[in-house]
């Protein structure tokens, strides 16, 4: 909400020297947020004065253009020029070149003299052009920064002004005014008006407030006016779409009269452009009182006005010239011709006020916020009116707003108001709230005095009645957000002052903190980052083909995925069943930009629907669903396990003068998977695996000791890499992190570090080519006994010296005892035991 300070001063005691920043500083105290300052003088500086064209000589130019060589008086005749500066003529008459042709001799115009600065840092100076010394500029509306009209010079008589020559044009046009812009939260719709902000400024400063509604003398009752019927046969949640409609008639209006500059200035500072006098008056009253109004061309109406719901498929052409297809929930303003407006959102073009309009019907109605909000979103049609209606408008102010529009049409447009009028509808039930004594103090932590409580509530406009247990409070009609004692407590704290609330640090209760799973997640993600991988975030929306490829291990296997009802693109219309598709897209995008050596990882949810997803119906809004309804909703939510995945492409390090980087391979993916297991204390069982997204022979299946598969690691399938234009031999892994968390021990016990030296022995075993290396490693571990500390595969060889169908696996074995230094014989005996078991199980032969 933008608040012109000159307007605010009419109803609140704002000091004469206060700036927009000063006003916002006060409003912050009562809970508003600062947004911006709008000050024309930040971009427009004088001298800018009223001038009168004394002579105008048209001079054709060789380029085909005709310019006007003008003599313009900028001080009253007979008076001296008091301004000084390079280019300012002491005689008070300036010679000025002008290319516009919409003015004549005798017209009073706005002249920017040498030394002035226009928006865009355009500095005015005397300069020689077209054979003359031009000292100044005759300005247009756009050049002054007060509008978009650039068709010609601003002639003051055309906007209803006849000022004295030499008058400060910036003051004349309201350009010394400024506006403070604040952010208004959805529950405080009353603050979308000067009336509401002035009241809040008075709260913040403790100064006097004058309600603008109190200055309007509206009839107590209206009758005999234009026919209006409220006929809502399909109210939303049983609440009528319109519960009050006031209509007033003004005849003999001159719609072509210019809007007064003071009104144009205020509207402009408030962020609304001037359109025509009747429309400007309607907008002005909306900003002043917070009640949107609408003006119809009375002669274009046919029959009574009926407020009703739309028929499905009914159409209307709105004021923006677009034809819109209506929904059965839309609330309409209609006459015998059909729809003439979407209630509270935008009027129809058929009854629009134009220059030929002479008789006007003024509407000021109260609409249901839910109806207006839904229509606004449905038609993607935001408007200043809908912004206020969907946040709540004062039911009681409709008649006052209508009278205010009528008064301004009579005063400024020369109209005559009918005494008869229309006011139909039913007032809402009065809400009363019980506020127990001591409740506010207990909630806020301040011992509020009775005077503070009563004064704060009465300052809001509430009626407060004292009784033995506390107070009965009737909120004012403009505060529809006040419904509970908690709401009243918040208002008391706000008006007494947030700075009065003591700052105390809460004491954390013992035994609280991160849950076991939260700790595990953080530990896992931190470990991968510490290992040099970069965490990224990708969209959870993928294509059907991506889910088909990564969703199940076996090609053609049964797969299910959730299809989005309203995807951001049809190409990505499903929720992911694997993290890898999005991660590969991130890698692909980086490759296209020249970054080819990558080690990326991502953690997040995947979506695995099982059984029935969703519910047969959606619970209605406005009421908390029953427990069984909530249980059904939760039962319809798909399984969403937490996964972690990584993609490694290119090399493991940058090239250097004495360093050759190594290409990532399947073993690196396996190492990252093992790191994830190690940091959680989970022993992963690695075996030869098969997955349609991975290389047929370079894929590891990752499982728990129970045999449950928790993921895959290895080299991505060559066809997939070629299709994604990624480097060959790129590797990846994906793990079901939730399964790892569940299998992880509650406490990871660190292994005892022996102080005795280690004994290292190597062994190379020849085994059949189809025997997995991990099975051989497991046999060595088992056969070596308790003296074995660690065993690792460090070489795989097949070729010269190894018979066909066989391979050589080289392992490094580390032996250590907890209580002594091992002898060579003890280490050798343990090694032989390991080899013997491998030979028994796989026919392994030492090389």
């Amino acid at each position: 909400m933008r608040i012109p300070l000159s307007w605010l001063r009419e109803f609140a005691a704002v000091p004469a020297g206060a700036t927009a920043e000063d006003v916002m500083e006060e409003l912050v105290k009562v809970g508003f947020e600062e947004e911006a300052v709008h000050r024309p003088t930040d971009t427009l500086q004088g001298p800018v004065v009223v001038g009168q064209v004394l002579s105008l000589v048209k001079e054709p130019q060789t380029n085909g253009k005709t310019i006007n060589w003008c003599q313009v008086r900028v001080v009253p005749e007979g008076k001296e020029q008091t301004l000084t500066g390079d280019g300012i003529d002491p005689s008070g008459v300036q010679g000025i070149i002008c290319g516009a042709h919409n003015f004549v001799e005798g017209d009073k115009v706005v002249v920017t003299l040498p030394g002035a600065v226009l928006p865009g840092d355009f500095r005015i100076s005397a300069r020689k052009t077209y054979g003359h010394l031009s000292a100044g500029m005759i300005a247009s509306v756009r050049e002054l920064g007060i509008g978009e009209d650039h068709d010609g010079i601003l002639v003051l008589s055309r906007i209803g002004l006849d000022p004295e020559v030499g008058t400060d044009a910036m003051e004349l046009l309201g350009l010394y005014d400024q506006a403070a812009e604040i952010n208004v939260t959805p529950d405080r719709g009353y603050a979308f008006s000067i009336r509401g902000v002035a009241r809040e400024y008075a709260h913040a400063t403790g100064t006097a407030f004058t309600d603008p509604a109190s200055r309007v003398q509206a009839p107590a009752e209206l009758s005999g006016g234009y026919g209006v019927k409220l006929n809502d046969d399909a109210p939303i949640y049983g609440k009528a779409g319109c519960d009050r409609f006031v209509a007033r008639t003004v005849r003999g209006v001159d719609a072509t009269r210019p809007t007064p500059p003071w009104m144009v200035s205020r509207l402009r500072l408030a962020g609304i452009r001037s359109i025509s006098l009747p429309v400007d008056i309607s907008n002005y009253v909306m900003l002043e009182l917070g009640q949107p109004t609408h003006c119809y061309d009375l002669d274009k109406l046919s029959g009574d006005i009926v407020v009703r719901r739309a028929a499905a498929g009914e159409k209307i052409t709105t004021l923006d010239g677009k034809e819109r297809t209506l929904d059965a929930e839309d609330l309409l303003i209609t006459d015998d011709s059909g729809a003439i407006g979407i209630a509270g959102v935008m009027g129809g073009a058929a009854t629009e006020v134009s220059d030929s309009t002479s008789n006007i019907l003024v509407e000021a109605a109260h609409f249901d916020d839910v109806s207006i909000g839904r229509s606004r979103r449905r038609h993607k049609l935001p408007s200043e009116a809908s912004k206020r209606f969907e946040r709540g408008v004062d039911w009681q102010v409709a008649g006052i707003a209508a009278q205010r529009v009528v008064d301004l049409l009579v005063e400024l447009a020369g109209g005559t108001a009918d005494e008869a009028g229309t006011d139909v509808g039913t007032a809402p039930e009065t809400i009363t709230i019980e506020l127990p004594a001591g409740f506010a103090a207990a909630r806020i932590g301040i011992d509020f005095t009775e005077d503070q409580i009563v004064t704060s509530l009465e300052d809001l406009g509430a009626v407060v009645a004292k009784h033995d247990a506390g107070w009965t409070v009737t909120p004012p009609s403009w505060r529809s957000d006040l419904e509970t004692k908690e709401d009243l407590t918040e208002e008391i704290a706000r008006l007494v002052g947030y700075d009065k609330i003591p700052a105390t640090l809460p004491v954390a209760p013992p035994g609280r903190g991160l849950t076991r799973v939260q700790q595990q997640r953080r530990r896992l993600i931190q470990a991968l980052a510490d290992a040099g991988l970069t965490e990224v975030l990708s969209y959870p929306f993928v294509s059907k083909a991506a889910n088909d490829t990564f969703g199940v291990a076996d090609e053609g296997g049964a797969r299910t995925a959730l299809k989005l009802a309203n995807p951001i693109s049809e190409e990505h219309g499903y929720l992911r069943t694997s993290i890898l598709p999005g991660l590969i897209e991130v890698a692909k995008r980086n490759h296209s930009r020249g970054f080819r050596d990558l080690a990326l990882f991502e953690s997040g949810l995947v979506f695995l629907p099982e059984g029935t997803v969703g519910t047969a119906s959606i619970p209605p809004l406005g009421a908390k669903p029953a427990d069984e309804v909530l249980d059904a909703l939760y039962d319809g939510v798909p399984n969403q396990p937490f996964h972690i995945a990584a993609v490694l492409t290119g090399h493991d390090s940058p090239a250097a003068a004495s360093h050759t980087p190594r290409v990532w391979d399947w073993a690196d993916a396996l190492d990252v998977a093992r790191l994830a297991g190690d940091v959680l204390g989970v022993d992963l069982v690695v075996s030869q695996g098969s997955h349609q997204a991975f290389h047929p022979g370079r894929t590891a299946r990752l499982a728990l000791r129970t045999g449950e598969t928790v993921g895959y690691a290895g080299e991505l399938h060559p066809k997939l890499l070629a299709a994604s234009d990624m480097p060959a031999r790129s590797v990846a892994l994906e793990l079901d992190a939730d399964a790892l968390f569940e299998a992880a021990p509650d406490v990871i016990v660190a292994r005892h570090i022996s102080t005795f030296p280690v004994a290292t022995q190597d062994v190379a075993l020849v085994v059949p080519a189809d025997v997995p290396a991990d099975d051989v490693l497991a046999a060595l571990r088992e056969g070596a006994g308790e003296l074995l500390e660690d065993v690792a595969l460090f070489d795989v060889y097949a070729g010269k010296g190894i018979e066909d169908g066989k391979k050589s696996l080289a392992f490094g074995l580390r032996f250590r005892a907890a209580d002594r230094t091992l002898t060579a014989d003890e280490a050798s005996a343990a090694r032989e035991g390991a080899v013997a078991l491998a030979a028994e199980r796989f026919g392994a032969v030492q090389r």
Side-chain angles (χ1 to χ4, degrees):
M1 175 67 186
R2 295 185 183 183
I3 311 114
L5 264 58
S6 64
W7 206 349
L8 183 65
R9 286 189 174 98
E10 289 189 16
F11 310 113
V14 181
T19 64
E21 289 87 351
D22 297 331
V23 170
M24 289 193 295
E25 184 179 351
E26 297 295 343
L27 292 175
V28 165
K29 297 177 182 178
V30 286
F32 293 102
E33 295 179 6
E34 299 177 354
E35 285 289 328
V37 170
H38 302 272
R39 190 162 29 225
T41 54
D42 287 343
T43 57
L44 177 65
Q45 299 173 24
V48 182
V49 301
V50 173
Q52 186 169 29
V53 180
L54 300 180
S55 66
L56 182 155
V57 179
K58 296 186 179 295
E59 298 183 354
Q61 304 297 311
T62 57
N63 60 5
K65 182 179 180 180
T66 298
I67 60 95
N68 298 311
W69 170 236
C70 305
Q71 297 297 313
V72 185
R73 179 175 295 282
V74 294
V75 296
E77 188 173 4
K79 293 187 177 180
E80 295 183 357
Q81 173 63 273
T82 58
L83 297 174
T84 59
D86 187 17
I88 297 181
D89 197 310
S91 70
V93 177
Q94 300 288 128
I96 299 174
I97 292 290
C98 184
H101 301 283
N102 68 318
F103 65 103
V104 297
E105 293 178 358
D107 280 343
K108 291 183 179 179
V109 294
V110 175
V111 179
T112 57
L113 295 174
V117 180
L118 300 185
D121 198 29
F122 183 72
R123 298 179 181 272
I124 304 300
S125 61
R127 60 190 182 92
K128 192 167 185 179
T129 180
Y130 295 109
H132 299 281
L133 181 65
S134 180
M137 186 175 77
I138 305 174
S140 69
V141 167
R142 186 174 179 183
E143 287 163 340
L144 293 171
I146 58 176
E148 293 301 317
D149 183 10
H150 197 46
D151 294 335
I153 295 306
L154 171 59
V155 179
L156 295 175
S157 62
R158 294 174 191 162
I159 60 172
L161 295 177
D162 184 22
E164 183 182 20
V165 172
T167 299
D168 186 341
M170 292 179 62
E171 183 174 357
L172 180 73
L173 298 175
L175 298 178
Y176 290 124
D177 201 359
Q178 53 187 297
E181 184 175 359
I182 58 173
N183 179 38
V184 178
T185 53
D187 62 324
R188 300 174 73 178
Y190 66 93
F192 273 114
S193 66
I194 300 298
R195 180 193 190 201
V197 174
R199 181 181 283 110
E200 291 296 333
Y201 184 86
H203 293 333
T205 58
T207 55
F209 162 68
T210 301
D211 190 346
S214 66
R215 295 185 176 182
V216 180
Q217 300 300 316
E221 295 183 0
L222 289 172
S223 62
Y226 200 90
V228 176
K229 300 175 183 177
L230 306 183
N231 184 21
D232 185 0
D233 56 1
I236 298 176
Y237 301 138
K239 190 172 182 180
C242 177
D243 56 9
R244 188 180 188 187
F245 196 108
V246 178
R248 299 291 303 278
T249 302
V250 183
R251 303 180 189 275
V253 168
D254 182 359
T256 64
R257 285 192 184 183
T259 304
W262 60 267
M263 182 178 287
V264 173
S265 172
R266 287 181 174 180
L267 290 174
R268 183 182 66 251
L269 276 175
I272 295 179
R273 67 184 179 91
S274 175
I275 298 174
S276 67
L277 181 57
V279 175
D280 291 349
I281 288 173
S282 178
N283 287 331
Y284 187 84
V285 172
M286 174 185 67
L287 291 172
E288 185 171 82
L289 297 174
Q291 167 70 56
T293 63
H294 187 71
C295 292
Y296 299 92
D297 187 324
L298 181 63
D299 298 325
K300 295 178 182 178
L301 294 173
S302 57
D304 290 349
I305 286 178
V306 178
V307 184
R308 61 170 174 83
R309 297 289 171 179
E314 190 172 357
K315 297 182 182 297
I316 184 176
T317 300
T318 45
L319 287 172
D320 57 2
K322 295 181 180 179
E323 184 179 71
R324 302 180 185 276
T325 301
L326 301 169
D327 184 88
E329 271 195 352
D330 288 328
L331 189 69
L332 301 181
I333 310 298
T334 69
D335 65 1
D336 289 351
S337 67
I340 58 174
I342 304 176
V345 179
M346 185 173 285
T351 56
E352 180 181 9
V353 171
S354 65
D355 288 349
S356 62
T357 298
S358 60
N359 301 315
I360 289 177
L361 183 73
V362 178
E363 166 209 304
H366 186 267
F367 299 114
D368 173 45
D369 50 357
V370 174
S371 289
I372 305 309
R374 289 190 178 184
S375 290
R376 190 266 301 170
R377 289 188 290 272
R378 184 180 299 114
H379 296 289
K380 298 179 176 63
L381 192 58
S383 66
E384 290 295 328
S386 65
K387 179 165 66 176
R388 287 161 175 80
F389 278 126
E390 63 182 302
R391 288 166 172 80
V393 171
D394 183 3
W395 189 94
Q396 300 286 356
V397 84
I400 295 171
Q403 182 66 49
R404 178 70 164 140
V405 174
V406 168
D407 292 343
L408 289 172
L409 286 172
V410 170
E411 176 187 351
L412 303 177
T416 302
D418 286 3
E419 290 186 7
T422 304
D423 188 352
V424 295
T426 304
E429 293 183 4
T430 302
I431 296 176
T432 58
I433 306 170
E434 293 298 326
L435 179 64
F439 180 83
R443 278 301 176 96
I444 304 300
I446 302 176
D447 290 329
F448 294 112
T449 65
E450 180 176 338
D451 181 63
Q452 285 177 317
I453 293 173
V454 173
T455 301
S456 296
L457 295 176
E458 289 179 343
D459 283 349
L460 289 177
V463 176
V464 184
K466 171 72 174 174
H467 55 74
D468 292 342
W471 299 271
T472 299
V473 182
T474 304
S477 58
W478 56 86
R479 292 301 302 271
S480 59
D481 58 308
L482 301 181
E483 299 178 339
T484 66
K485 57 188 176 183
E486 288 79 8
D487 295 334
L488 297 179
T489 299
E490 289 178 7
E491 291 300 295
I492 294 168
R494 184 173 69 88
L495 297 187
V496 170
Y498 292 133
D499 57 324
K500 303 295 193 299
I501 301 175
T504 56
L505 290 175
V507 178
R512 301 289 179 87
L514 297 177
T515 66
R516 173 177 177 269
V517 171
Q518 288 172 332
Q519 292 173 342
Q520 290 170 323
R521 279 190 188 183
R522 294 193 178 192
R523 193 184 312 138
L524 175 57
I525 292 171
Q526 189 62 51
L528 295 186
D530 291 345
L533 281 74
T534 300
E535 186 176 14
V536 297
L537 183 66
S538 65
Y539 282 114
F541 314 123
V542 299
S543 64
K544 181 179 184 300
N547 272 342
D548 288 347
T549 301
F550 290 91
V552 291
D554 300 327
E555 187 172 358
R559 61 185 63 79
T560 55
L562 282 176
K563 190 176 191 307
L564 296 169
N566 186 25
I568 55 176
S569 76
E570 289 301 327
E571 185 181 353
H572 300 87
Y574 290 81
L575 287 173
R576 67 187 179 190
T577 57
S578 165
I579 293 180
L580 282 176
L583 201 52
I584 290 172
E585 281 296 317
V586 173
K588 178 181 176 181
R589 191 177 306 112
N590 277 272
H591 290 168
S592 69
R593 288 159 174 75
F595 300 100
R596 306 185 70 84
D597 298 330
L598 302 171
L600 309 176
F601 81 96
E602 180 180 359
S603 61
L605 302 179
V606 297
F607 304 87
L608 307 177
E610 297 175 356
T612 302
V613 176
T615 56
S617 62
I618 301 296
L621 299 175
K624 180 182 177 181
D627 290 342
E628 57 271 18
V629 175
L630 289 174
D631 291 341
L633 289 174
Y634 285 124
D635 291 341
V637 175
N639 185 28
Q640 300 174 48
F642 184 76
H643 279 207
I644 194 157
V647 171
L648 313 174
T649 72
H651 300 84
D652 67 345
S653 57
S658 58
H659 170 68
T660 301
R662 183 178 61 82
V663 176
W664 294 114
D665 61 22
W666 62 268
D668 295 300
L670 197 55
D671 286 344
V672 173
R674 283 180 169 140
L675 171 64
D678 289 344
V679 77
L680 296 173
V682 177
D683 190 13
L684 290 178
V685 178
V686 180
S687 61
Q688 183 70 43
S690 174
H691 193 291
Q692 59 177 325
F694 288 82
H695 191 288
R698 298 170 187 156
T699 304
R701 171 180 171 266
L702 306 171
L704 303 175
R705 287 295 174 189
T706 60
E708 177 188 353
T709 300
V710 292
Y712 291 87
E715 188 176 308
L716 289 168
H717 200 289
K719 290 183 178 179
L720 187 150
L721 294 174
S724 300
D725 193 27
M726 288 176 61
R729 311 295 289 270
S730 295
V731 299
L733 70 123
E734 182 163 8
L735 290 167
D736 182 346
D738 276 350
L740 296 181
F741 298 155
E742 187 174 348
D746 290 337
V747 178
I748 300 175
V749 180
R751 181 185 300 174
H752 173 71
I753 299 176
S754 174
T755 59
F756 294 96
V758 66
T760 303
Q761 295 199 18
D762 298 337
V763 61
L765 302 176
V766 177
V767 297
D770 60 349
V771 173
D774 195 64
D775 291 350
V776 178
L777 186 146
L780 292 175
R781 181 180 286 112
E782 183 180 345
E786 63 181 11
L787 294 180
L788 182 67
E789 182 179 77
D790 186 44
V791 57
L793 175 71
F794 65 84
D795 185 53
V796 179
Y797 174 73
K800 187 177 179 180
I802 304 296
E803 63 181 285
D804 293 342
K806 298 289 184 76
K807 61 182 177 182
S808 172
L809 305 176
F811 297 91
L813 291 83
R814 294 165 54 90
F815 300 99
R816 192 182 335 237
D819 57 350
R820 67 188 187 281
T821 300
L822 291 179
T823 64
D825 290 341
E826 288 177 310
S828 296
R831 173 180 174 276
E832 292 305 322
V835 172
L837 187 56
E840 177 184 336
R841 290 184 178 177
F842 309 111
V845 178
Q846 291 192 64
R847 285 182 65 187

